[in-house]
Structure formats: structure tokens, C-alpha cells
Amino acid sequence: MFIAHLPAGYLITQLFIKRQLLPCTEQHRIWLVGVGLFASVLPDLDLLYFYWFDQRQHNHHSYWTHTPVFWLAIFLLPCIVAWITKQKLLLTTVVVLLMNVMLHLLLDSVSAKILWLYPVVKQSFGLVEVPARFAWWPLNFLLHWSFMLEVLIVGAAIYQVKKQYLFKNQLVTGYS
């Protein structure tokens, strides 16, 4: 995935907020959207290591930051603490973080391989393999059919933002 992680994170976080049974203040909504956007790209922070230290020797999807078990382990303790202490905002924040990280890995699984069952099974899984036909590697992904999925996600996010902004604007100005 090149361009769809942030828009997908926005969409899933907004859907989660909308479906929540608890009332959500505007401050909490802004907080959760920010957390969702951050978490939607969090696994790709390994690109810093990939370029600066590993010298692109290994596919960054093979790093521990692209392993679901790592994120489940990281978020288990805060989730338990939030549940025991009945801190609803903390629990909601942890759920949004984990949900967006897992969505990131799921989206990466379309055109890359992820260690979904690690450490039980040390095999990576992905939907399709993008053939290397062009010397400039991004072109291989941009011209692959799977990029249309990204375009659809970006389009849906733009539509959602416009719809939400226009609706808010109508409420503020009083136009209907």
C-alpha cells in the first residue's frame, strides 16, 4: 500500500466512533481520529530502519513491526488495565490503535506478505504478488490492479470528509 493507509484509518475510526454505544464528545472524536491516523501508519515506522540501517537488505514487511502477534502483545496490557480500571477513553483509545494497526497489516496483505500466524507458523501470507516488470519499483505497484483498491479507499475517505464538512457547515450556517 502506498496511499491508502491514512484514508483507511480515517474511515475505520470514523465508523467505529459512529457505531460506539457511548456518547463521544467533539474533543474525544478529534482525539480518536488523531490516534487512528497515527496508528494507521505506525507499522511503517520500520521504514526508517529499512532505509537508514538495514540498507534495504530485507523486505520491511518481514520486520517485527509487521507481525500481528507483536501488536497484540503490546496492546494487551493497556487493554486489560483500562478494562479493570473502567477507563473508557483509554480502552477506546487502545481499541482504535489496535484496530488501525491490524487494518494496516490487512491492507498490506493485498500486495505484500505478512507473518499472520507467527510464531506458530513461520510463513508469510498475501493475496497477490506484484511482478517486478519496471526498473523503478514503485511503478510496479502503481500500475498493478491492486492500486485501484487504494484509489477507491482514498475516494471514499474524500467523500466522507466532504460529507462530514458540508453537514457541519450546514449546521453552523443554518442552511439546509
Side-chain angles (χ1 to χ4, degrees), residues 66-69 114-125:
H66 275 82
T67 306
V69 71
I114 301 294
L115 291 162
W116 280 104
L117 302 176
Y118 184 85
V120 177
V121 177
K122 295 178 181 171
Q123 177 184 354
S124 298
F125 297 95

Side-chain angles (χ1 to χ4, degrees), residues 49-50 54-63:
Y49 180 82
F50 177 71
D54 195 30
Q55 303 301 316
R56 302 183 339 197
Q57 294 298 310
H58 305 94
N59 184 333
H60 82 107
H61 293 113
S62 67
Y63 296 160

